[in-house]
């Protein structure tokens, strides 16, 4: 790419026949290079498909097939600000996404439905047993992106009795204090493109990557 750019600059500065021939030569070499890269990529993908089919790895097999159907999807490295101007620097892009999702998730001006406090009698819920915690851990879904702590559900499930007893102890402590750890209140928001202009934040929906235990805790509570 650098050679093609330099050859074009030379041709613009001096449109002689030698520079024209050199530019065409560099263009042919670059095209040949990308064709070779594309063939190697397709060959690797086909081998991956064959391997996943042979070992019956259905999940990765379907993912590869889906990638083939979609074709090449260029990554969008710019977004538009509220005025419609493109933002290209990394800090500006992060700030734009932060402001956008802050507006989406933090709704202001919502009036309280009830004017007076309503007191209801809550039924007494017994503490969770270790077996209930173990059951909730077994129900955690695999192959999901981890949250801020970068601990996947597979690692928690592979910990066996030692892990779920420790988690049971933690849950009981939270149960008695009636307060969630601050880290459990945080999640990673990932923008997922729906359709339309990829530089427009309004064409995305946000999904929250929570820590596995934040999903498991309410599930455990429902067991009680």
């Amino acid at each position: 790419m650098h050679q093609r750019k330099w050859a074009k600059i030379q041709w613009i500065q001096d449109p002689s026949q030698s520079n024209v021939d050199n530019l065409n030569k560099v263009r042919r070499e670059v095209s040949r290079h990308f064709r070779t890269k594309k063939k190697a990529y397709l060959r690797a993908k086909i081998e991956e498909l064959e391997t996943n089919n042979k070992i019956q790895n259905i999940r990765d097999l379907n993912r590869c097939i889906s990638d083939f159907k979609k074709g090449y999807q260029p990554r969008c490295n710019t977004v538009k600000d509220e005025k419609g101007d493109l933002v290209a620097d990394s800090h500006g892009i992060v700030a734009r996404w932060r402001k956008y999702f802050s507006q989406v998730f933090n709704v202001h001006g919502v009036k309280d439905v009830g004017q007076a406090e309503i007191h209801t009698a809550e039924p007494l819920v017994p503490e969770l047993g270790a077996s209930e915690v173990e059951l909730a851990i077994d129900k955690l879904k695999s192959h999901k992106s981890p949250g801020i702590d970068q601990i996947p559900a597979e690692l928690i499930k592979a910990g066996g009795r030692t892990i779920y007893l420790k988690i049971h102890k933690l849950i009981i402590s939270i149960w008695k204090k009636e307060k969630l750890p601050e880290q459990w209140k945080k999640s990673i928001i990932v923008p997922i493109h729906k359709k339309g202009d990829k530089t427009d934040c309004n064409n995305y929906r946000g999904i929250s990557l929570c820590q596995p235990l934040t999903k498991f805790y309410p599930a455990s509570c429902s067991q009680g």
Side-chain angles (χ1 to χ4, degrees), residues 3 14 19 49 73 94-95 102 145 159 167 179 184 207-208 220:
Q3 290 179 347
D14 180 17
N19 284 337
L49 280 169
Q73 299 291 324
V94 171
S102 178
S145 299
I167 294 177
K179 185 178 180 181
W184 285 21
I207 60 171
S208 297
S220 300

Side-chain angles (χ1 to χ4, degrees), residues 91-156:
H91 294 290
I93 291 173
V94 171
R96 172 60 181 141
W97 281 117
R98 183 187 294 113
K99 186 174 183 180
Y100 170 73
F101 283 118
S102 178
Q103 293 172 340
V104 171
F105 294 141
N106 299 323
V107 181
H108 301 285
V110 179
K111 297 181 179 179
D112 295 332
V113 177
Q115 298 296 327
E117 293 186 3
I118 300 175
H119 299 277
T120 58
E122 296 182 358
L124 180 63
V125 179
E127 291 183 356
L128 297 175
S131 59
E132 293 174 303
V133 174
E134 182 181 12
L135 179 61
I137 292 176
D138 289 339
K139 290 183 178 180
L140 287 175
K141 294 182 179 180
S142 301
H143 307 296
K144 297 293 182 180
S145 299
I148 295 176
D149 59 5
Q150 293 298 302
I151 300 176
E154 292 88 338
L155 184 60
I156 297 174

Side-chain angles (χ1 to χ4, degrees), residues 26-92:
V26 172
R27 282 176 172 172
R28 287 194 297 270
E29 291 176 351
V30 171
S31 298
R32 190 182 303 113
H33 171 76
F34 281 115
R35 284 197 302 271
T36 303
K37 286 288 186 180
K38 184 178 180 180
K39 288 180 181 178
Y41 170 80
L42 291 174
R43 192 182 303 112
K45 282 295 182 181
I46 292 172
E47 291 176 356
E48 185 180 358
L49 280 169
E50 292 175 346
T51 301
N52 288 326
N53 183 52
K54 188 177 296 183
I55 64 177
Q56 293 298 303
N57 188 348
I58 304 301
R59 182 174 181 273
D60 288 341
L61 179 63
N62 290 333
R63 176 182 55 79
C64 289
I65 294 174
S66 178
D67 291 342
F68 263 110
K69 287 182 177 180
K70 291 180 181 178
Y72 173 69
Q73 299 291 324
R75 179 177 294 181
C76 183
N77 295 322
T78 58
V79 294
K80 292 179 181 176
D81 60 18
E82 292 176 302
K83 297 179 181 179
D85 299 326
L86 287 175
V87 180
D89 64 287
S90 58
H91 294 290

Side-chain angles (χ1 to χ4, degrees), residues 9 16 18 21 25 45 102 131 135 178:
I9 292 174
S16 61
S18 60
D21 294 339
K25 178 184 176 182
K45 282 295 182 181
S102 178
S131 59
L135 179 61
E178 298 184 355

